């Protein structure tokens, strides 16, 4: 239930502990009225970025994805979505402005083919990646250029029926780790190993050949929807993961629609 006092709106809030990771997913395909309401919480910079998209559906997806991020973070920060302030790394990865005085709330997001996923934690770096599974004609060449030597050895053992799944397993797990450490593509993709065989647990196996370094992270396979592959990497071990799909976008905030 939303309670308004004066011009400020108080929303139900969410809470994290050091051992929690919250995963949220949402469809980016929303009615025009929802897109308008979410656009109203964006900053001027975000609206400008949205306007630079050539295709209307890409513009809409950006608005919904960023508006949803603001709305989620506002619930944890006990703010209105419009009050959430971001700063950016050199790789354009958003993080909360120090002006909020909150240094322990970590978040990451990913989207693909109309689905967005958000991961939030307290005092734990994390990365999430989602990919829509589609045909890739040069899959073997991409693997040869980006996977590690050990990953390519494993990849070549997978039969034709499981090869696409193995490719996306590896790709999302590597992307999630890169996003967790915050180095973007400057970190060599072929210098760490992840599991990829379909049906086997998601694992970070080694970093620069060190199993001990890999053991400082935990990796999880996520199943957001039919036809998608996703992975989560979290700093440390022993965390509990809760997953929720947000389907009630109409009620996520009470911002008035522009007239």
């Amino acid at each position: 239930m939303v309670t308004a006092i004066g011009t400020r709106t108080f929303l139900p809030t969410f809470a994290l502990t050091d051992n929690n990771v919250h995963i949220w997913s949402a469809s980016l395909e929303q009615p025009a009225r929802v897109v308008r309401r979410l656009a109203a919480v964006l900053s001027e910079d975000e609206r400008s970025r949205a306007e630079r998209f050539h295709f209307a559906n890409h513009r809409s997806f950006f608005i919904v994805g960023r508006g949803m991020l603001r709305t989620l973070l506002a619930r944890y920060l006990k703010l209105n979505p419009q009050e959430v302030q971001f700063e950016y790394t050199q790789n354009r990865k958003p993080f909360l402005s120090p002006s909020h005085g909150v240094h322990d709330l970590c978040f990451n997001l990913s989207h693909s083919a109309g689905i967005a996923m958000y991961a939030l934690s307290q005092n734990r770096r994390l990365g999430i990646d989602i990919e829509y599974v589609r045909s890739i004609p040069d899959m073997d060449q991409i693997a040869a250029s980006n996977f590690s030597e050990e990953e390519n050895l494993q990849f070549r053992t997978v039969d034709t029926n499981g090869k696409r799944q193995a490719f996306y397993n590896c790709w999302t797990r590597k992307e999630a780790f890169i996003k967790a450490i915050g180095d973007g593509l400057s970190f060599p993709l072929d210098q760490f190993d992840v599991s990829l065989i379909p049906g086997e647990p998601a694992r970070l196996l080694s970093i620069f050949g060190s199993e001990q370094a890999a053991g400082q992270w935990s990796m999880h396979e996520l199943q957001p929807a039919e036809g998608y592959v996703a992975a989560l990497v979290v700093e440390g071990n022993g965390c509990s993961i809760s997953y929720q799909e947000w389907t009630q976008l109409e009620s996520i905030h009470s911002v008035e629609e522009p007239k």
Side-chain angles (χ1 to χ4, degrees):
M1 181 176 183
V2 177
T3 304
I5 302 178
T7 60
R8 187 175 178 82
T9 301
F10 293 86
L11 300 167
T13 58
F14 305 138
L16 284 162
T17 69
D18 288 348
N19 294 322
N20 295 150
V21 175
H22 291 181
I23 307 294
W24 295 90
S25 71
S27 172
L28 297 177
E29 298 181 0
Q30 296 295 326
R33 64 183 181 277
V34 176
V35 178
R36 288 194 299 269
R37 291 174 64 188
L38 288 169
V41 309
L42 301 186
S43 67
E44 287 299 324
D45 173 67
E46 289 166 333
R47 292 192 190 104
S48 296
R49 288 177 62 186
E51 288 304 315
R52 291 197 288 270
F53 285 95
H54 180 72
F55 296 105
N57 65 321
H58 294 168
R59 187 181 313 119
S60 175
F61 282 4
F62 175 83
I63 291 170
V64 173
R66 186 50 67 97
M68 181 69 179
L69 174 64
R70 284 181 163 276
T71 302
L72 277 173
L73 290 173
R75 293 288 189 94
Y76 291 90
L77 296 170
K78 301 180 182 178
L79 297 172
N80 281 329
Q82 304 96 310
E83 297 172 316
V84 176
Q85 297 183 38
F86 296 114
E87 295 190 13
Y88 297 88
T89 67
Q90 289 184 338
N91 298 313
R92 295 298 296 171
K93 179 180 179 180
F95 61 93
L96 287 172
S97 169
S99 64
H100 287 303
V102 177
H103 306 289
D104 57 358
L105 179 60
C106 303
F107 68 92
N108 196 237
L109 63 148
S110 181
H111 59 85
S112 179
I115 291 182
M117 298 191 76
Y118 305 86
L120 300 101
S121 65
Q122 185 169 286
N123 292 316
R124 291 176 184 257
R125 290 180 292 169
L126 77 175
I128 192 168
D129 190 60
I130 177 175
E131 299 290 342
Y132 177 69
V133 177
R134 62 189 186 280
S135 177
I136 303 178
D138 53 349
M139 185 167 56
D140 290 335
Q141 292 88 339
I142 295 174
S145 300
N146 294 279
F147 294 178
S148 70
E149 181 178 351
E150 179 60 30
E151 288 164 348
N152 271 294
L153 286 173
Q154 292 296 315
F155 186 59
R156 288 193 286 270
T157 68
V158 180
D159 63 28
T160 303
N161 293 332
K163 203 139 196 175
R164 191 185 302 178
Q165 179 72 39
F167 177 88
Y168 279 100
N169 283 350
C170 192
W171 189 265
T172 54
R173 293 167 192 180
K174 292 178 87 69
E175 281 288 313
F177 176 67
I178 289 293
K179 293 172 74 176
I181 61 177
D183 284 350
L185 294 178
S186 62
F187 194 96
L189 291 173
D190 61 353
Q191 293 302 304
F192 64 98
D193 302 317
V194 302
S195 62
L196 56 83
I197 302 297
E200 293 187 359
R203 291 180 58 209
L204 180 61
L205 301 172
S206 69
I207 303 172
F208 291 119
S210 170
E211 294 182 9
Q212 183 177 3
Q216 297 174 20
W217 300 85
S218 55
M219 180 174 282
H220 308 269
E221 179 181 358
L222 304 174
Q223 297 177 328
E226 184 71 26
Y228 291 80
V229 174
L232 170 73
V233 171
V234 183
E235 186 174 24
N237 295 278
C239 61
S240 63
I241 299 173
S242 66
Y243 177 88
Q244 219 170 150
E245 181 178 0
W246 201 320
T247 57
Q248 300 299 320
L249 281 177
E250 288 281 6
S251 63
I252 59 178
H253 60 79
S254 63
V255 173
E256 291 289 337
E257 282 194 35
K259 302 298 184 185

